[in-house]
PDB file of all heavy atoms in Angstrom:
ATOM      1  N   VAL B 399     -25.296  15.292 -15.040  1.00  0.00           N
ATOM      2  CA  VAL B 399     -26.265  16.453 -14.547  1.00  0.00           C
ATOM      3  C   VAL B 399     -26.386  17.551 -15.622  1.00  0.00           C
ATOM      4  O   VAL B 399     -27.530  17.946 -15.814  1.00  0.00           O
ATOM      5  CB  VAL B 399     -25.535  16.962 -13.306  1.00  0.00           C
ATOM      6  CG1 VAL B 399     -26.371  18.248 -12.712  1.00  0.00           C
ATOM      7  CG2 VAL B 399     -25.572  15.947 -12.172  1.00  0.00           C
ATOM      8  N   LEU B 403     -29.847  18.639 -17.241  1.00  0.00           N
ATOM      9  CA  LEU B 403     -30.201  20.153 -17.297  1.00  0.00           C
ATOM     10  C   LEU B 403     -30.679  20.537 -18.672  1.00  0.00           C
ATOM     11  O   LEU B 403     -31.693  21.234 -18.827  1.00  0.00           O
ATOM     12  CB  LEU B 403     -28.955  21.032 -16.922  1.00  0.00           C
ATOM     13  CG  LEU B 403     -29.066  22.427 -17.207  1.00  0.00           C
ATOM     14  CD1 LEU B 403     -29.986  23.165 -16.163  1.00  0.00           C
ATOM     15  CD2 LEU B 403     -27.678  23.187 -16.962  1.00  0.00           C
ATOM     16  N   LEU B 417     -35.269  29.306 -13.216  1.00  0.00           N
ATOM     17  CA  LEU B 417     -35.299  28.575 -12.074  1.00  0.00           C
ATOM     18  C   LEU B 417     -34.781  27.142 -12.077  1.00  0.00           C
ATOM     19  O   LEU B 417     -33.970  26.687 -11.193  1.00  0.00           O
ATOM     20  CB  LEU B 417     -36.797  28.569 -11.618  1.00  0.00           C
ATOM     21  CG  LEU B 417     -37.174  28.048 -10.194  1.00  0.00           C
ATOM     22  CD1 LEU B 417     -36.617  29.064  -9.071  1.00  0.00           C
ATOM     23  CD2 LEU B 417     -38.599  27.918  -9.948  1.00  0.00           C
ATOM     24  N   VAL B 418     -35.098  26.517 -13.132  1.00  0.00           N
ATOM     25  CA  VAL B 418     -34.679  24.997 -13.391  1.00  0.00           C
ATOM     26  C   VAL B 418     -33.139  25.043 -13.588  1.00  0.00           C
ATOM     27  O   VAL B 418     -32.421  24.213 -13.036  1.00  0.00           O
ATOM     28  CB  VAL B 418     -35.346  24.562 -14.598  1.00  0.00           C
ATOM     29  CG1 VAL B 418     -34.771  23.177 -14.978  1.00  0.00           C
ATOM     30  CG2 VAL B 418     -36.830  24.407 -14.445  1.00  0.00           C
ATOM     31  N   ALA B 419     -32.602  26.093 -14.300  1.00  0.00           N
ATOM     32  CA  ALA B 419     -31.129  26.127 -14.626  1.00  0.00           C
ATOM     33  C   ALA B 419     -30.436  26.297 -13.372  1.00  0.00           C
ATOM     34  O   ALA B 419     -29.328  25.605 -13.106  1.00  0.00           O
ATOM     35  CB  ALA B 419     -30.880  27.144 -15.546  1.00  0.00           C
ATOM     36  N   SER B 420     -30.821  27.154 -12.490  1.00  0.00           N
ATOM     37  CA  SER B 420     -30.080  27.485 -11.164  1.00  0.00           C
ATOM     38  C   SER B 420     -30.165  26.253 -10.185  1.00  0.00           C
ATOM     39  O   SER B 420     -29.182  25.939  -9.568  1.00  0.00           O
ATOM     40  CB  SER B 420     -30.774  28.697 -10.546  1.00  0.00           C
ATOM     41  OG  SER B 420     -31.159  28.454  -9.256  1.00  0.00           O
ATOM     42  N   SER B 421     -31.276  25.544 -10.143  1.00  0.00           N
ATOM     43  CA  SER B 421     -31.514  24.428  -9.327  1.00  0.00           C
ATOM     44  C   SER B 421     -30.454  23.270  -9.754  1.00  0.00           C
ATOM     45  O   SER B 421     -29.750  22.672  -8.917  1.00  0.00           O
ATOM     46  CB  SER B 421     -32.890  23.899  -9.318  1.00  0.00           C
ATOM     47  OG  SER B 421     -32.979  22.534  -9.020  1.00  0.00           O
ATOM     48  N   LEU B 422     -30.382  22.986 -11.118  1.00  0.00           N
ATOM     49  CA  LEU B 422     -29.507  21.995 -11.574  1.00  0.00           C
ATOM     50  C   LEU B 422     -28.067  22.276 -11.546  1.00  0.00           C
ATOM     51  O   LEU B 422     -27.221  21.480 -11.339  1.00  0.00           O
ATOM     52  CB  LEU B 422     -29.945  21.607 -13.034  1.00  0.00           C
ATOM     53  CG  LEU B 422     -31.237  20.777 -13.120  1.00  0.00           C
ATOM     54  CD1 LEU B 422     -31.818  20.718 -14.525  1.00  0.00           C
ATOM     55  CD2 LEU B 422     -30.991  19.362 -12.649  1.00  0.00           C
ATOM     56  N   SER B 423     -27.782  23.580 -11.620  1.00  0.00           N
ATOM     57  CA  SER B 423     -26.461  23.946 -11.477  1.00  0.00           C
ATOM     58  C   SER B 423     -25.849  23.734 -10.121  1.00  0.00           C
ATOM     59  O   SER B 423     -24.743  23.326  -9.892  1.00  0.00           O
ATOM     60  CB  SER B 423     -26.215  25.482 -11.740  1.00  0.00           C
ATOM     61  OG  SER B 423     -25.081  25.979 -11.412  1.00  0.00           O
ATOM     62  N   ARG B 424     -26.751  23.833  -9.024  1.00  0.00           N
ATOM     63  CA  ARG B 424     -26.266  23.569  -7.697  1.00  0.00           C
ATOM     64  C   ARG B 424     -25.978  21.980  -7.583  1.00  0.00           C
ATOM     65  O   ARG B 424     -25.061  21.527  -6.956  1.00  0.00           O
ATOM     66  CB  ARG B 424     -27.448  23.866  -6.647  1.00  0.00           C
ATOM     67  CG  ARG B 424     -27.352  25.279  -6.159  1.00  0.00           C
ATOM     68  CD  ARG B 424     -28.130  25.377  -4.881  1.00  0.00           C
ATOM     69  NE  ARG B 424     -29.538  24.864  -4.853  1.00  0.00           N
ATOM     70  CZ  ARG B 424     -30.584  25.470  -5.349  1.00  0.00           C
ATOM     71  NH1 ARG B 424     -30.450  26.719  -5.825  1.00  0.00           N
ATOM     72  NH2 ARG B 424     -31.828  25.000  -5.367  1.00  0.00           N
ATOM     73  N   ASP B 425     -26.813  21.207  -8.273  1.00  0.00           N
ATOM     74  CA  ASP B 425     -26.542  19.733  -8.350  1.00  0.00           C
ATOM     75  C   ASP B 425     -25.180  19.406  -8.794  1.00  0.00           C
ATOM     76  O   ASP B 425     -24.510  18.536  -8.388  1.00  0.00           O
ATOM     77  CB  ASP B 425     -27.599  18.972  -9.138  1.00  0.00           C
ATOM     78  CG  ASP B 425     -28.968  18.923  -8.434  1.00  0.00           C
ATOM     79  OD1 ASP B 425     -28.911  19.306  -7.260  1.00  0.00           O
ATOM     80  OD2 ASP B 425     -29.916  18.506  -9.047  1.00  0.00           O
ATOM     81  N   ILE B 426     -24.796  20.041  -9.943  1.00  0.00           N
ATOM     82  CA  ILE B 426     -23.484  19.896 -10.534  1.00  0.00           C
ATOM     83  C   ILE B 426     -22.254  20.144  -9.516  1.00  0.00           C
ATOM     84  O   ILE B 426     -21.362  19.371  -9.422  1.00  0.00           O
ATOM     85  CB  ILE B 426     -23.246  20.713 -11.868  1.00  0.00           C
ATOM     86  CG1 ILE B 426     -24.295  20.372 -12.937  1.00  0.00           C
ATOM     87  CG2 ILE B 426     -21.847  20.661 -12.344  1.00  0.00           C
ATOM     88  CD1 ILE B 426     -24.311  21.173 -14.137  1.00  0.00           C
ATOM     89  N   ASN B 427     -22.421  21.266  -8.897  1.00  0.00           N
ATOM     90  CA  ASN B 427     -21.377  21.632  -7.954  1.00  0.00           C
ATOM     91  C   ASN B 427     -21.343  20.624  -6.929  1.00  0.00           C
ATOM     92  O   ASN B 427     -20.170  20.284  -6.367  1.00  0.00           O
ATOM     93  CB  ASN B 427     -21.644  23.049  -7.352  1.00  0.00           C
ATOM     94  CG  ASN B 427     -21.371  24.137  -8.433  1.00  0.00           C
ATOM     95  OD1 ASN B 427     -20.506  23.899  -9.399  1.00  0.00           O
ATOM     96  ND2 ASN B 427     -22.026  25.259  -8.414  1.00  0.00           N
ATOM     97  N   HIS B 428     -22.496  20.199  -6.321  1.00  0.00           N
ATOM     98  CA  HIS B 428     -22.471  19.267  -5.267  1.00  0.00           C
ATOM     99  C   HIS B 428     -21.808  18.013  -5.663  1.00  0.00           C
ATOM    100  O   HIS B 428     -20.938  17.401  -4.922  1.00  0.00           O
ATOM    101  CB  HIS B 428     -23.910  19.031  -4.872  1.00  0.00           C
ATOM    102  CG  HIS B 428     -24.049  17.925  -3.813  1.00  0.00           C
ATOM    103  ND1 HIS B 428     -23.627  18.138  -2.441  1.00  0.00           N
ATOM    104  CD2 HIS B 428     -24.441  16.623  -3.903  1.00  0.00           C
ATOM    105  CE1 HIS B 428     -23.830  16.975  -1.872  1.00  0.00           C
ATOM    106  NE2 HIS B 428     -24.247  16.087  -2.681  1.00  0.00           N
ATOM    107  N   SER B 429     -22.025  17.493  -6.835  1.00  0.00           N
ATOM    108  CA  SER B 429     -21.585  16.273  -7.361  1.00  0.00           C
ATOM    109  C   SER B 429     -19.999  16.356  -7.491  1.00  0.00           C
ATOM    110  O   SER B 429     -19.299  15.428  -7.129  1.00  0.00           O
ATOM    111  CB  SER B 429     -22.242  15.953  -8.716  1.00  0.00           C
ATOM    112  OG  SER B 429     -21.290  15.504  -9.579  1.00  0.00           O
TER     113      SER B 429
END
Side-chain angles (χ1 to χ4, degrees):
Chain B
V399 176
L403 167 68
L417 191 66
V418 172
S420 124
S421 155
L422 283 166
S423 168
R424 273 201 308 277
D425 284 352
I426 293 174
N427 288 331
H428 173 74
S429 135

